[in-house]
Amino acid sequence: MSLGQRPHKVIRGCRWLVALGFVIGAMPAGTVRAANSTTNDPLCSLNPSPSAPRTTPLPESTVRMIERLRNSRNATSPVSNQFMNVELVKLLTDRLARATNAQQQVALGLRLADQLLDSGQPEASLQQILASESVLTNLGRQLTAKSAASVQMLKATAMLRLGEQENCLDMHNAESCLFPLSPAAFHKRPRGSRGAVGLLTSQLQQYPQDLSARWLLNLAYMTLGEYPDKVPAEWLIPPSVFKSDYDLPRFPEVAGSLGVNVNGLAGGCILEDFDNDGFIDIVTSSWGFDGDLHYFHNDGDGHFSDRTEAAGLKGLMGGLNIQQTDYNNDGLPDIWVLRGAWTGKAGRIPPSLLRNNGDGTFTDVTEQSGLLSAHPTQTSVWFDYDGDGWLDLFIGHESLDPNDPDPCELYHNNHDGTFTECAAACGLDVKRFVKGVTFLDYDNDGRPDLYLSCRDGANLLFHNDGPDASGQWKFSDATERAGLKAAHTFPTWSFDYDNDGWEDIFVSGYSVANVGDIAADYLGLPNSGVLAKLYHNNHDGTFTDVTEKMHLNHVLLTMGCNYGDLDNDGWLDFYLGTGNPDLTMLVPNRMFRNDEGKVFQDVTTAGGFGHLQKGHGVGFADFENSGNQDVYEEMGGAYVGDTAYSVLYHNPGNTNHWLKLKLEGTKSNRVAIGARINVTVQTPGGSRHIHRTVSSGSSFGNNPLRQEIGLGNATKIESVEVKWPASGIRQDLTELELDHSYRVREGDSKALPMDLKRIHLDLTKAPTMPSMKMDMPGMP
């Protein structure tokens, strides 16, 4: 998620409080931020439109889960929780009022300023900084040069956040925060950015090599409409470094017009047809104890309606990540909610399995399913590891304390709505800080393997060995022999980027000193950021690092992400949500286009995808049934005041062909997760193969399980081969037409046409603007 913290270090790159401690004495006990403390109830995710009311009582099991979550919130202390910003403001205000000497007043006052900023009160933060500086002046003392510079950057950050609140949020429009900013995104209330320019200029005059200040100065000028002309030449980051590698058409941002622009904090998203009416719906989550789920139903007439409350999802708070599944093989997509990430032992909060009842409602069945386990996590994967036709569940937990670990879990599906935990028995006794997990059959032996992305060191690849002599299913560590060396990473996925029939691995690095590392990467300068990695499958159980060859050797600092096909050319592209909790981490989200498997092209600025706010759950889906994939992204940071609007980038269309396939397992799991697809098409240049694996995509974001496959300039579909994961059946289908949709049932000789009604999203409405005024304790 956006928490970006290293497990044993504080988050903010400019952690000025640490430096301050050496100047005016140690801070009172218990006041330093805990690097792995629990989260609180960040700013409520706001409904852009009223949710349809529920007319029947919630099921008892759902009520019990809501009560568990409420109890978890009430048991959380702000003293050990860096994200309970409103409560920490109260706590520090009280301590400051009781401080008995000036030294304590300065230390507490500056820490209070920090919390005021994180809680969304930049003006109060600035006033508190001035008050603390006044105390120092009266003492006849000064901060060291290093501490003074850090406090000055805190002021600049407060000014930038003030500008965001008064413009990007209060006067939000479709161009807001899209980098490089267009005139429609320039700040009409310039006082925040104008103040930041002055402070950052002063900072650079004292420290000309401060790349963080340089980056933010360029952004501040951009918000004022004065970039690049008025940026001092010695500090200019030239526009040329942001130029796209390919002239992709612009994808307009339309979430506001459709009423799906939730304003909230970090969370996940699922794009899926939850009621099997042929139209893709949207479910989002928001991190924190007060972070609601939102269910936006695609009404099939160009509009979405908010069904959250009617669906029985209100009150099921706090999911940093969510996924779809079909745990009971009834053909209805269920929802899986992951909680507690980044918060250490305080994140021992239960997840939720929400059964789709088929009538527009969901029921929490976590307890009765046997999944009521409490460990901090945001990553898992649903896959059928033993080929019995039922989806099992692997959960990657965030274990930090070897004396009190949070081991990963593997739940075997018992075929009756319940699960049995068996990780250790299967060779998956993993006690690591796991941030991402994906399944893939990397050696094409018919059994799904597991790749784990870890923040605390080297990543892990586990080979699925199948049953041993006693019948016990086993996994073995294949990391070293596979040649995989990535470490300190976050999201991951497997996909066949070069269409050779073998699944490759992408994983994104997640460690920087500060936003200066991002600036340095754009400028081609040395930096300390961890690079993304793309591993090509060598077809022999090993992988080759092709990151540099594919032009992906960059500091991408990715959180939510996913892949899809922007232009239906049959080559998988991907979008990366970027950032971390630091309020200075204003960096563009990044889109990369796959150029026929030969190189990835950065098309961020051409396509209009460079959102500067923190990007989380990402999904690619065709909301209009037009054959063109749109891109949805859940936005927002981790601290209470760092909210942002979710976005939907509307695909302008192209001339390439496509095919949609909804696979239905009979011996294999009903939604066909793990099924392998090989589409052979005729083109003017001869035959070509396009490969896909049925999954929801990335470890942080969810595409529909219905496959949307671009066919490029195909003139005819020669055949479609489906290899089913449980039965091993190879199903060969012919007589499929270009630009059509089909239902494929395991074992049937023919695919059945699906009549998916094409619609046009109604983009005529003015963007929906929820009020930013909320009744929150401690807020003015």
Side-chain angles (χ1 to χ4, degrees), residues 4 10 51 76 84 94 106 120 156 271 305 312 337 342 405-406 459 481 529 572 611 668 684 725 755:
V10 291
S51 176
T76 304
M84 295 179 70
D94 181 64
V106 173
L271 310 184
S305 58
V337 184
W342 297 105
D406 289 281
N459 295 347
R481 68 175 180 264
L572 289 170
H611 205 295
S668 301
D755 184 18

Side-chain angles (χ1 to χ4, degrees), residues 59-72 315-317 336-337 339 349-354 363-368 371-373:
E60 283 188 24
S61 57
T62 300
V63 173
R64 284 198 302 273
M65 178 57 73
I66 292 172
E67 183 63 24
R68 285 190 184 97
L69 298 175
R70 185 181 298 116
N71 291 339
S72 294
L316 293 165
M317 310 290 194
W336 171 243
V337 184
R339 300 186 177 100
I349 304 167
S352 282
L353 178 61
L354 307 177
T363 298
D364 191 303
V365 294
T366 315
E367 186 173 4
Q368 48 265 55
L371 295 177
L372 188 64
S373 173

Side-chain angles (χ1 to χ4, degrees), residues 20 72 146 216-217 241 279 289 329 372 405 435 541 613 653 713:
L20 187 62
S72 294
K146 182 178 180 180
L216 296 173
L217 180 68
V241 304
F279 301 102
F289 285 122
N329 270 347
L372 188 64
K435 290 306 301 175
Q613 299 301 330
N713 63 346

Side-chain angles (χ1 to χ4, degrees), residues 99-368:
T100 58
N101 62 65
Q103 196 165 336
Q104 282 186 331
Q105 290 174 355
V106 173
L108 289 168
L110 289 174
R111 186 157 190 261
L112 174 58
D114 196 34
Q115 287 298 329
L116 285 165
L117 177 56
D118 288 344
S119 67
Q121 302 179 69
E123 287 189 279
S125 175
L126 288 163
Q127 292 168 5
Q128 184 57 53
I129 294 171
L130 292 175
S132 298
E133 289 177 331
S134 177
V135 173
L136 269 178
T137 300
N138 293 336
L139 281 174
R141 301 183 64 178
Q142 292 181 338
L143 298 175
T144 65
K146 182 178 180 180
S147 295
S150 295
V151 172
Q152 182 157 264
M153 285 297 289
L154 181 66
K155 291 180 184 177
T157 305
M159 296 304 294
L160 287 170
R161 188 61 194 172
L162 177 64
E164 291 174 34
Q165 287 181 344
E166 292 187 336
N167 295 274
C168 305
L169 293 176
D170 288 353
M171 295 188 289
H172 186 78
N173 63 59
E175 295 293 317
S176 293
C177 296
L178 296 182
F179 178 92
L181 302 184
S182 68
F186 295 162
H187 287 190
K188 294 180 173 61
R189 298 174 184 168
R191 64 172 180 148
S193 291
R194 189 65 68 193
V197 164
L199 290 161
L200 294 165
T201 298
S202 175
Q203 182 82 350
L204 285 163
Q205 287 170 344
Q206 298 175 70
Y207 303 97
Q209 304 306 314
D210 187 340
L211 284 175
S212 292
R214 182 177 174 184
W215 175 267
L216 296 173
L217 180 68
N218 280 261
L219 287 187
Y221 272 113
M222 198 178 290
T223 65
L224 296 168
E226 298 173 358
Y227 172 90
D229 298 339
K230 292 191 178 182
V231 182
E234 64 270 33
W235 300 322
L236 176 66
I237 299 178
S240 59
V241 304
F242 307 118
K243 189 177 186 301
S244 285
D245 300 324
Y246 178 84
D247 191 21
L248 191 78
R250 192 171 182 86
F251 283 51
E253 201 285 290
V254 300
S257 297
L258 295 169
V260 296
N261 60 333
V262 177
N263 176 39
L265 297 174
C269 78
I270 303 171
L271 310 184
E272 187 57 85
D273 181 2
F274 282 98
D275 56 357
N276 290 328
D277 65 353
F279 301 102
I280 302 299
D281 311 306
I282 301 171
V283 173
T284 69
S285 66
S286 183
W287 131 287
F289 285 122
D290 279 356
D292 253 325
L293 294 169
H294 289 276
Y295 173 29
F296 296 106
H297 180 261
N298 186 336
D299 296 333
D301 59 1
H303 303 92
F304 288 81
S305 58
D306 189 336
R307 302 278 183 87
T308 307
E309 187 173 354
L313 300 176
K314 197 76 174 173
L316 293 165
M317 310 290 194
L320 176 56
N321 197 9
I322 51 178
Q323 297 172 328
Q324 80 268 54
T325 183
D326 183 6
Y327 78 100
N328 55 1
N329 270 347
D330 65 356
L332 297 168
D334 311 300
I335 297 173
W336 171 243
V337 184
L338 295 151
R339 300 186 177 100
W342 297 105
T343 56
K345 296 175 185 177
R348 289 172 172 172
I349 304 167
S352 282
L353 178 61
L354 307 177
R355 184 186 65 216
N356 187 335
N357 298 321
D359 59 359
T361 68
F362 295 82
T363 298
D364 191 303
V365 294
T366 315
E367 186 173 4
Q368 48 265 55

Side-chain angles (χ1 to χ4, degrees), residues 565-598:
D565 191 348
L566 295 170
D567 50 8
N568 280 340
D569 64 354
W571 304 94
L572 289 170
D573 317 302
F574 61 83
Y575 187 47
L576 306 178
T578 59
N580 70 19
D582 187 346
L583 296 184
T584 67
M585 195 57 67
L586 298 168
V587 298
N589 290 212
R590 306 282 288 273
M591 181 71 83
F592 289 89
R593 176 182 180 268
N594 187 340
D595 184 16
E596 299 183 352
K598 297 177 292 189

Side-chain angles (χ1 to χ4, degrees), residues 519-579:
D521 185 72
Y522 271 109
L523 293 165
L525 300 174
N527 62 79
S528 60
V530 176
L531 303 183
K533 291 291 182 182
L534 177 64
Y535 290 104
H536 179 261
N537 193 321
N538 297 328
H539 310 177
D540 60 0
T542 69
F543 293 81
T544 297
D545 184 343
V546 294
T547 311
E548 185 172 1
K549 173 187 174 183
M550 297 301 293
H551 296 187
L552 293 174
N553 53 323
H554 292 291
V555 181
L556 298 175
L557 199 67
T558 310
M559 299 178 295
C561 51
N562 222 322
Y563 58 83
D565 191 348
L566 295 170
D567 50 8
N568 280 340
D569 64 354
W571 304 94
L572 289 170
D573 317 302
F574 61 83
Y575 187 47
L576 306 178
T578 59

